[in-house]
Amino acid sequence: NESVAEPDLPRNTHEKMKVFVQSPMFDIFSGVLILTNSFVMAWSLELQGRDIGERLGIAQGGTAAWDEWSPFFNLTEHIFALLFLAELVGRMVVEKRHFFFSGWNFLDAILV
C-alpha cells in the first residue's frame, strides 16, 4: 500500500517567498523603487510649480508642460502605490506577526 503524500505547495510557495523577500536584492529593489518614486515626484512638483507660476504671471511655459505630462504622473503614482503595497504585503506574509514589532515596518505601513 503506497500512501500518496499530499503536495506541500503552500509551504513551498511560502518558503520561496520568504527567501525572495528576505534577500538583499529585494531590499535593493525596494530602495531603487523609493528613489525612482522620489525623482518622479520631484519632477512632477517642478512642472506643477511652473504651471502655477505661469498662471500667476510670474513665469512662462509651465501650463503646456504640465498638461502634457500630467497623465504620465497620474499613471506612475498608481503604479508606485501598487508596487509599494505589494512590497508591504509580501513582508507581512513572510514575517507574520513579527512584522508589527519593527519600527521600520510600522513606518512603511503608515507611508503606504
Side-chain angles (χ1 to χ4, degrees):
N1 237 352
E2 273 186 48
S3 64
V4 178
E6 292 185 32
D8 200 12
L9 185 61
R11 182 172 178 228
N12 290 336
T13 302
H14 186 266
E15 289 299 318
K16 288 178 184 178
M17 187 173 181
K18 183 176 181 179
V19 168
F20 174 68
V21 167
Q22 293 179 340
S23 72
M25 287 305 296
F26 187 78
D27 289 334
I28 290 170
F29 173 76
S30 297
V32 168
L33 192 63
I34 291 168
L35 288 174
T36 305
N37 186 37
S38 298
F39 287 122
V40 170
M41 288 188 331
W43 182 20
S44 171
L45 288 172
E46 174 68 24
L47 291 181
Q48 285 178 344
R50 289 181 184 189
D51 178 43
I52 291 169
E54 183 175 318
R55 291 172 195 249
L56 293 173
I58 299 170
Q60 294 180 355
T63 301
W66 175 249
D67 289 344
E68 180 180 338
W69 285 98
S70 181
F72 168 77
F73 292 122
N74 288 332
L75 176 64
T76 57
E77 180 181 347
H78 288 90
I79 290 171
F80 281 117
L82 287 173
L83 290 172
F84 287 131
L85 180 62
E87 183 250 349
L88 181 69
V89 169
R91 289 189 191 276
M92 290 174 104
V93 167
V94 167
E95 296 179 19
K96 299 180 181 168
R97 71 175 188 266
H98 299 289
F99 175 87
F100 299 100
F101 297 117
S102 166
W104 288 113
N105 288 341
F106 185 71
L107 178 65
D108 194 21
I110 289 172
L111 292 175
V112 171

